[in-house]
PDB file of all heavy atoms in Angstrom:
ATOM      1  N   THR A  46     129.081  51.430-152.905  1.00 97.00           N
ATOM      2  CA  THR A  46     130.433  51.061-153.350  1.00 97.00           C
ATOM      3  C   THR A  46     131.478  52.046-152.847  1.00 97.00           C
ATOM      4  O   THR A  46     132.524  51.645-152.326  1.00 97.00           O
ATOM      5  CB  THR A  46     130.486  51.005-154.888  1.00 97.00           C
ATOM      6  OG1 THR A  46     129.390  50.216-155.370  1.00 97.00           O
ATOM      7  CG2 THR A  46     131.791  50.407-155.358  1.00 97.00           C
ATOM      8  N   TYR A  50     134.899  51.664-150.311  1.00 97.00           N
ATOM      9  CA  TYR A  50     136.304  52.011-150.570  1.00 97.00           C
ATOM     10  C   TYR A  50     136.857  52.982-149.524  1.00 97.00           C
ATOM     11  O   TYR A  50     138.066  52.986-149.263  1.00 97.00           O
ATOM     12  CB  TYR A  50     136.461  52.569-151.986  1.00 97.00           C
ATOM     13  CG  TYR A  50     136.488  51.467-153.022  1.00 97.00           C
ATOM     14  CD1 TYR A  50     135.432  51.272-153.895  1.00 97.00           C
ATOM     15  CD2 TYR A  50     137.568  50.583-153.097  1.00 97.00           C
ATOM     16  CE1 TYR A  50     135.445  50.255-154.827  1.00 97.00           C
ATOM     17  CE2 TYR A  50     137.586  49.556-154.015  1.00 97.00           C
ATOM     18  CZ  TYR A  50     136.528  49.397-154.885  1.00 97.00           C
ATOM     19  OH  TYR A  50     136.543  48.375-155.797  1.00 97.00           O
ATOM     20  N   LEU A  53     138.146  50.763-146.988  1.00 97.00           N
ATOM     21  CA  LEU A  53     139.306  49.979-147.436  1.00 97.00           C
ATOM     22  C   LEU A  53     140.543  50.831-147.659  1.00 97.00           C
ATOM     23  O   LEU A  53     141.604  50.291-148.008  1.00 97.00           O
ATOM     24  CB  LEU A  53     138.950  49.245-148.740  1.00 97.00           C
ATOM     25  CG  LEU A  53     137.910  48.133-148.606  1.00 97.00           C
ATOM     26  CD1 LEU A  53     137.425  47.702-149.988  1.00 97.00           C
ATOM     27  CD2 LEU A  53     138.484  46.942-147.845  1.00 97.00           C
ATOM     28  N   ARG A  56     144.304  49.655-147.139  1.00 95.00           N
ATOM     29  CA  ARG A  56     144.446  48.197-147.157  1.00 95.00           C
ATOM     30  C   ARG A  56     144.926  47.744-148.530  1.00 95.00           C
ATOM     31  O   ARG A  56     144.455  48.210-149.550  1.00 95.00           O
ATOM     32  CB  ARG A  56     143.105  47.521-146.814  1.00 95.00           C
ATOM     33  CG  ARG A  56     143.164  46.008-146.899  1.00 95.00           C
ATOM     34  CD  ARG A  56     141.825  45.376-146.574  1.00 95.00           C
ATOM     35  NE  ARG A  56     141.667  45.150-145.145  1.00 95.00           N
ATOM     36  CZ  ARG A  56     142.072  44.052-144.525  1.00 95.00           C
ATOM     37  NH1 ARG A  56     142.692  43.095-145.188  1.00 95.00           N
ATOM     38  NH2 ARG A  56     141.872  43.915-143.225  1.00 95.00           N
ATOM     39  N   SER A  58     145.503  45.130-151.738  1.00 97.00           N
ATOM     40  CA  SER A  58     144.645  44.179-152.431  1.00 97.00           C
ATOM     41  C   SER A  58     145.465  43.332-153.393  1.00 97.00           C
ATOM     42  O   SER A  58     146.575  43.708-153.778  1.00 97.00           O
ATOM     43  CB  SER A  58     143.547  44.906-153.203  1.00 97.00           C
ATOM     44  OG  SER A  58     144.109  45.728-154.221  1.00 97.00           O
ATOM     45  N   THR A  59     144.928  42.207-153.750  1.00 98.00           N
ATOM     46  CA  THR A  59     145.546  41.342-154.757  1.00 98.00           C
ATOM     47  C   THR A  59     144.614  41.276-155.968  1.00 98.00           C
ATOM     48  O   THR A  59     143.400  41.426-155.848  1.00 98.00           O
ATOM     49  CB  THR A  59     145.765  39.919-154.209  1.00 98.00           C
ATOM     50  OG1 THR A  59     144.491  39.371-153.822  1.00 98.00           O
ATOM     51  CG2 THR A  59     146.685  39.935-153.010  1.00 98.00           C
ATOM     52  N   THR A  60     145.190  41.044-157.128  1.00 98.00           N
ATOM     53  CA  THR A  60     144.398  40.993-158.356  1.00 98.00           C
ATOM     54  C   THR A  60     143.556  39.722-158.403  1.00 98.00           C
ATOM     55  O   THR A  60     144.047  38.627-158.132  1.00 98.00           O
ATOM     56  CB  THR A  60     145.311  41.050-159.590  1.00 98.00           C
ATOM     57  OG1 THR A  60     146.099  42.242-159.535  1.00 98.00           O
ATOM     58  CG2 THR A  60     144.485  41.051-160.871  1.00 98.00           C
ATOM     59  N   VAL A  61     142.293  39.888-158.738  1.00 98.00           N
ATOM     60  CA  VAL A  61     141.360  38.768-158.853  1.00 98.00           C
ATOM     61  C   VAL A  61     140.886  38.678-160.305  1.00 98.00           C
ATOM     62  O   VAL A  61     140.536  39.690-160.916  1.00 98.00           O
ATOM     63  CB  VAL A  61     140.150  38.951-157.919  1.00 98.00           C
ATOM     64  CG1 VAL A  61     139.050  37.933-158.230  1.00 98.00           C
ATOM     65  CG2 VAL A  61     140.584  38.822-156.466  1.00 98.00           C
ATOM     66  N   VAL A  80     141.928  46.403-168.027  1.00 98.00           N
ATOM     67  CA  VAL A  80     141.537  45.435-166.999  1.00 98.00           C
ATOM     68  C   VAL A  80     141.263  44.051-167.589  1.00 98.00           C
ATOM     69  O   VAL A  80     140.753  43.173-166.896  1.00 98.00           O
ATOM     70  CB  VAL A  80     140.302  45.911-166.196  1.00 98.00           C
ATOM     71  CG1 VAL A  80     140.614  47.196-165.464  1.00 98.00           C
ATOM     72  CG2 VAL A  80     139.089  46.077-167.102  1.00 98.00           C
ATOM     73  N   ILE A 294     131.281  45.157-163.735  1.00 98.00           N
ATOM     74  CA  ILE A 294     132.213  44.506-162.813  1.00 98.00           C
ATOM     75  C   ILE A 294     133.489  45.306-162.652  1.00 98.00           C
ATOM     76  O   ILE A 294     133.950  45.533-161.524  1.00 98.00           O
ATOM     77  CB  ILE A 294     132.564  43.091-163.314  1.00 98.00           C
ATOM     78  CG1 ILE A 294     131.326  42.204-163.360  1.00 98.00           C
ATOM     79  CG2 ILE A 294     133.652  42.443-162.431  1.00 98.00           C
ATOM     80  CD1 ILE A 294     131.540  40.900-164.115  1.00 98.00           C
ATOM     81  N   ALA A 295     134.055  45.770-163.785  1.00 98.00           N
ATOM     82  CA  ALA A 295     135.465  46.137-163.730  1.00 98.00           C
ATOM     83  C   ALA A 295     135.895  47.338-164.551  1.00 98.00           C
ATOM     84  O   ALA A 295     137.105  47.562-164.681  1.00 98.00           O
ATOM     85  CB  ALA A 295     136.294  44.929-164.178  1.00 98.00           C
ATOM     86  N   ALA A 296     134.978  48.115-165.137  1.00 97.00           N
ATOM     87  CA  ALA A 296     135.431  49.295-165.881  1.00 97.00           C
ATOM     88  C   ALA A 296     136.416  50.074-165.017  1.00 97.00           C
ATOM     89  O   ALA A 296     136.203  50.281-163.826  1.00 97.00           O
ATOM     90  CB  ALA A 296     134.245  50.168-166.259  1.00 97.00           C
ATOM     91  N   LYS A 297     137.506  50.490-165.616  1.00 96.00           N
ATOM     92  CA  LYS A 297     138.626  51.099-164.888  1.00 96.00           C
ATOM     93  C   LYS A 297     138.151  52.255-164.012  1.00 96.00           C
ATOM     94  O   LYS A 297     137.562  53.229-164.496  1.00 96.00           O
ATOM     95  CB  LYS A 297     139.667  51.598-165.888  1.00 96.00           C
ATOM     96  CG  LYS A 297     140.946  52.118-165.270  1.00 96.00           C
ATOM     97  CD  LYS A 297     141.817  51.005-164.742  1.00 96.00           C
ATOM     98  CE  LYS A 297     143.169  51.533-164.280  1.00 96.00           C
ATOM     99  NZ  LYS A 297     144.001  50.460-163.690  1.00 96.00           N
ATOM    100  N   ARG A 298     138.392  52.130-162.736  1.00 95.00           N
ATOM    101  CA  ARG A 298     137.943  53.143-161.787  1.00 95.00           C
ATOM    102  C   ARG A 298     138.884  54.343-161.757  1.00 95.00           C
ATOM    103  O   ARG A 298     140.096  54.201-161.897  1.00 95.00           O
ATOM    104  CB  ARG A 298     137.844  52.536-160.376  1.00 95.00           C
ATOM    105  CG  ARG A 298     136.726  51.522-160.230  1.00 95.00           C
ATOM    106  CD  ARG A 298     136.651  50.977-158.813  1.00 95.00           C
ATOM    107  NE  ARG A 298     136.363  52.013-157.838  1.00 95.00           N
ATOM    108  CZ  ARG A 298     135.145  52.477-157.560  1.00 95.00           C
ATOM    109  NH1 ARG A 298     134.098  51.974-158.176  1.00 95.00           N
ATOM    110  NH2 ARG A 298     134.975  53.426-156.662  1.00 95.00           N
ATOM    111  N   GLN A 299     138.290  55.529-161.580  1.00 88.00           N
ATOM    112  CA  GLN A 299     139.021  56.777-161.351  1.00 88.00           C
ATOM    113  C   GLN A 299     140.016  57.098-162.471  1.00 88.00           C
ATOM    114  O   GLN A 299     141.080  57.674-162.226  1.00 88.00           O
ATOM    115  CB  GLN A 299     139.772  56.724-160.004  1.00 88.00           C
ATOM    116  CG  GLN A 299     138.947  56.244-158.836  1.00 88.00           C
ATOM    117  CD  GLN A 299     137.662  57.048-158.607  1.00 88.00           C
ATOM    118  OE1 GLN A 299     137.548  58.192-159.010  1.00 88.00           O
ATOM    119  NE2 GLN A 299     136.685  56.419-157.958  1.00 88.00           N
ATOM    120  N   GLY A 306     133.649  50.774-162.561  1.00 97.00           N
ATOM    121  CA  GLY A 306     133.169  49.445-162.224  1.00 97.00           C
ATOM    122  C   GLY A 306     133.169  49.243-160.719  1.00 97.00           C
ATOM    123  O   GLY A 306     133.658  50.085-159.956  1.00 97.00           O
ATOM    124  N   ILE A 307     132.642  48.120-160.275  1.00 98.00           N
ATOM    125  CA  ILE A 307     132.567  47.843-158.836  1.00 98.00           C
ATOM    126  C   ILE A 307     133.946  47.531-158.263  1.00 98.00           C
ATOM    127  O   ILE A 307     134.341  48.069-157.229  1.00 98.00           O
ATOM    128  CB  ILE A 307     131.619  46.656-158.555  1.00 98.00           C
ATOM    129  CG1 ILE A 307     130.233  46.901-159.167  1.00 98.00           C
ATOM    130  CG2 ILE A 307     131.520  46.395-157.055  1.00 98.00           C
ATOM    131  CD1 ILE A 307     129.434  47.975-158.542  1.00 98.00           C
ATOM    132  N   ALA A 308     134.695  46.650-158.921  1.00 98.00           N
ATOM    133  CA  ALA A 308     135.976  46.166-158.388  1.00 98.00           C
ATOM    134  C   ALA A 308     137.141  46.979-158.940  1.00 98.00           C
ATOM    135  O   ALA A 308     137.150  47.346-160.119  1.00 98.00           O
ATOM    136  CB  ALA A 308     136.156  44.688-158.733  1.00 98.00           C
ATOM    137  N   ASP A 309     138.139  47.235-158.096  1.00 97.00           N
ATOM    138  CA  ASP A 309     139.240  48.117-158.512  1.00 97.00           C
ATOM    139  C   ASP A 309     140.559  47.393-158.755  1.00 97.00           C
ATOM    140  O   ASP A 309     141.534  48.017-159.163  1.00 97.00           O
ATOM    141  CB  ASP A 309     139.454  49.228-157.478  1.00 97.00           C
ATOM    142  CG  ASP A 309     140.048  48.720-156.171  1.00 97.00           C
ATOM    143  OD1 ASP A 309     139.981  47.503-155.918  1.00 97.00           O
ATOM    144  OD2 ASP A 309     140.569  49.546-155.393  1.00 97.00           O
ATOM    145  N   ASN A 310     140.622  46.089-158.509  1.00 97.00           N
ATOM    146  CA  ASN A 310     141.863  45.350-158.797  1.00 97.00           C
ATOM    147  C   ASN A 310     141.463  43.993-159.360  1.00 97.00           C
ATOM    148  O   ASN A 310     141.504  42.976-158.675  1.00 97.00           O
ATOM    149  CB  ASN A 310     142.713  45.201-157.543  1.00 97.00           C
ATOM    150  CG  ASN A 310     144.107  44.680-157.856  1.00 97.00           C
ATOM    151  OD1 ASN A 310     144.434  44.377-159.008  1.00 97.00           O
ATOM    152  ND2 ASN A 310     144.941  44.576-156.833  1.00 97.00           N
ATOM    153  N   VAL A 311     141.042  44.014-160.609  1.00 98.00           N
ATOM    154  CA  VAL A 311     140.414  42.843-161.204  1.00 98.00           C
ATOM    155  C   VAL A 311     140.833  42.724-162.659  1.00 98.00           C
ATOM    156  O   VAL A 311     141.166  43.719-163.304  1.00 98.00           O
ATOM    157  CB  VAL A 311     138.873  42.958-161.071  1.00 98.00           C
ATOM    158  CG1 VAL A 311     138.338  44.095-161.896  1.00 98.00           C
ATOM    159  CG2 VAL A 311     138.186  41.669-161.435  1.00 98.00           C
ATOM    160  N   GLN A 312     140.833  41.507-163.154  1.00 98.00           N
ATOM    161  CA  GLN A 312     141.062  41.257-164.572  1.00 98.00           C
ATOM    162  C   GLN A 312     139.870  40.469-165.115  1.00 98.00           C
ATOM    163  O   GLN A 312     139.402  39.520-164.475  1.00 98.00           O
ATOM    164  CB  GLN A 312     142.353  40.478-164.803  1.00 98.00           C
ATOM    165  CG  GLN A 312     143.607  41.254-164.433  1.00 98.00           C
ATOM    166  CD  GLN A 312     144.878  40.432-164.635  1.00 98.00           C
ATOM    167  OE1 GLN A 312     144.822  39.219-164.812  1.00 98.00           O
ATOM    168  NE2 GLN A 312     146.013  41.103-164.598  1.00 98.00           N
ATOM    169  N   GLY A 468     131.040  41.841-159.129  1.00 98.00           N
ATOM    170  CA  GLY A 468     132.015  42.879-158.810  1.00 98.00           C
ATOM    171  C   GLY A 468     132.265  42.972-157.324  1.00 98.00           C
ATOM    172  O   GLY A 468     133.407  43.119-156.869  1.00 98.00           O
ATOM    173  N   ALA A 471     134.327  40.000-156.253  1.00 98.00           N
ATOM    174  CA  ALA A 471     135.730  40.193-156.643  1.00 98.00           C
ATOM    175  C   ALA A 471     136.420  41.180-155.719  1.00 98.00           C
ATOM    176  O   ALA A 471     137.591  40.997-155.343  1.00 98.00           O
ATOM    177  CB  ALA A 471     135.796  40.679-158.091  1.00 98.00           C
ATOM    178  N   LEU A 472     135.698  42.236-155.334  1.00 98.00           N
ATOM    179  CA  LEU A 472     136.249  43.210-154.385  1.00 98.00           C
ATOM    180  C   LEU A 472     136.621  42.510-153.071  1.00 98.00           C
ATOM    181  O   LEU A 472     137.731  42.704-152.536  1.00 98.00           O
ATOM    182  CB  LEU A 472     135.221  44.309-154.154  1.00 98.00           C
ATOM    183  CG  LEU A 472     135.565  45.501-153.251  1.00 98.00           C
ATOM    184  CD1 LEU A 472     134.676  46.685-153.606  1.00 98.00           C
ATOM    185  CD2 LEU A 472     135.369  45.183-151.765  1.00 98.00           C
ATOM    186  N   LEU A 473     135.723  41.687-152.539  1.00 98.00           N
ATOM    187  CA  LEU A 473     135.986  40.996-151.269  1.00 98.00           C
ATOM    188  C   LEU A 473     137.138  40.011-151.400  1.00 98.00           C
ATOM    189  O   LEU A 473     137.997  39.917-150.510  1.00 98.00           O
ATOM    190  CB  LEU A 473     134.727  40.270-150.801  1.00 98.00           C
ATOM    191  CG  LEU A 473     133.546  41.156-150.385  1.00 98.00           C
ATOM    192  CD1 LEU A 473     132.334  40.305-150.066  1.00 98.00           C
ATOM    193  CD2 LEU A 473     133.910  42.029-149.191  1.00 98.00           C
ATOM    194  N   SER A 475     139.542  40.235-153.420  1.00 98.00           N
ATOM    195  CA  SER A 475     140.764  40.997-153.663  1.00 98.00           C
ATOM    196  C   SER A 475     141.357  41.528-152.360  1.00 98.00           C
ATOM    197  O   SER A 475     142.561  41.404-152.113  1.00 98.00           O
ATOM    198  CB  SER A 475     140.460  42.156-154.614  1.00 98.00           C
ATOM    199  OG  SER A 475     141.577  42.998-154.765  1.00 98.00           O
ATOM    200  N   TYR A 476     140.508  42.096-151.506  1.00 98.00           N
ATOM    201  CA  TYR A 476     140.997  42.702-150.258  1.00 98.00           C
ATOM    202  C   TYR A 476     141.071  41.707-149.102  1.00 98.00           C
ATOM    203  O   TYR A 476     141.768  41.953-148.117  1.00 98.00           O
ATOM    204  CB  TYR A 476     140.121  43.895-149.886  1.00 98.00           C
ATOM    205  CG  TYR A 476     140.408  45.117-150.713  1.00 98.00           C
ATOM    206  CD1 TYR A 476     139.732  45.348-151.914  1.00 98.00           C
ATOM    207  CD2 TYR A 476     141.377  46.038-150.328  1.00 98.00           C
ATOM    208  CE1 TYR A 476     140.001  46.463-152.695  1.00 98.00           C
ATOM    209  CE2 TYR A 476     141.656  47.164-151.089  1.00 98.00           C
ATOM    210  CZ  TYR A 476     140.973  47.363-152.279  1.00 98.00           C
ATOM    211  OH  TYR A 476     141.251  48.468-153.050  1.00 98.00           O
TER     212      TYR A 476
END
Side-chain angles (χ1 to χ4, degrees):
T46 311
Y50 281 109
L53 292 168
R56 176 181 273 272
S58 63
T59 59
T60 302
V61 169
V80 298
I294 297 168
K297 186 74 173 177
R298 291 181 62 82
Q299 312 304 337
I307 305 291
D309 71 342
N310 191 357
V311 66
Q312 294 178 347
L472 183 157
L473 293 175
S475 174
Y476 283 90

